[in-house]
Amino acid sequence: MDQLQQLECNIVVVSFSNSDAAAQWIQDTASPFRMLMDPSRHLYSRFGLPKSVAKVWSVEMMTYYAEQKAAGRVLPPMHHDDDPHQMGGDFIVDHATGTMALVHRSEKSTRDRPAVSKLLAVATGCNQ
């Protein structure tokens, strides 16, 4: 978090959930980031983020859930308007050029995310 503040990054979480579910997610995760609501999923569509039953309920994901439960970890609860089939992504916009410096759509599973080190490297490059 300190590194992001030094880079003067604006981090925004986009959610398709209703405001009650989003507020609960912020509370559950203690997220310090601003959240935008996209219940009609226009941004999800524009960023090319599909839904996928096969990827969300893959053997990899079932193994992950089983390992978490076996280790005694609590999994995040589902909220009323959640859509477990919606795939996500991570994007970095270079404010200087208005171009996408990073486009990462989750392809394999919902856990398919870039490493924090990659996100920081791309954000650092945008701030040069």
Side-chain angles (χ1 to χ4, degrees):
M1 186 72 174
D2 292 337
Q3 291 171 313
L4 294 173
Q5 289 174 333
Q6 291 172 0
L7 291 172
E8 299 179 7
C9 292
N10 293 314
I11 298 175
V12 179
V13 175
V14 178
S15 175
F16 57 81
S17 294
N18 66 39
S19 58
D20 291 339
Q24 186 64 52
W25 181 87
I26 290 170
Q27 181 179 334
D28 291 347
T29 63
S31 175
F33 306 120
R34 185 172 60 143
M35 181 177 279
L36 297 178
M37 306 307 297
D38 183 24
S40 59
R41 301 185 202 192
H42 290 300
L43 284 174
Y44 283 81
S45 177
R46 296 291 299 229
F47 285 137
L49 301 172
K51 293 183 181 188
S52 176
V53 172
K55 292 176 182 174
V56 170
W57 302 111
S58 67
V59 171
E60 174 190 347
M61 289 308 300
M62 293 295 98
T63 300
Y64 168 77
Y65 292 134
E67 288 171 346
Q68 297 304 303
K69 293 300 271 183
R73 294 187 187 102
V74 177
L75 296 172
M78 288 279 295
H79 298 286
H80 174 67
D81 287 338
D82 279 355
D83 181 354
H85 305 134
Q86 178 65 61
M87 300 295 286
D90 297 271
F91 305 89
I92 295 178
V93 178
D94 186 329
H95 288 281
T97 64
T99 60
M100 300 298 282
L102 175 89
V103 174
H104 182 93
R105 294 176 188 91
S106 297
E107 298 276 337
K108 300 173 190 169
S109 72
T110 55
R111 296 188 66 226
D112 174 19
R113 301 292 191 173
V116 172
S117 59
K118 180 174 183 175
L119 295 171
L120 288 171
V122 172
T124 299
C126 291
N127 238 4
Q128 301 289 320

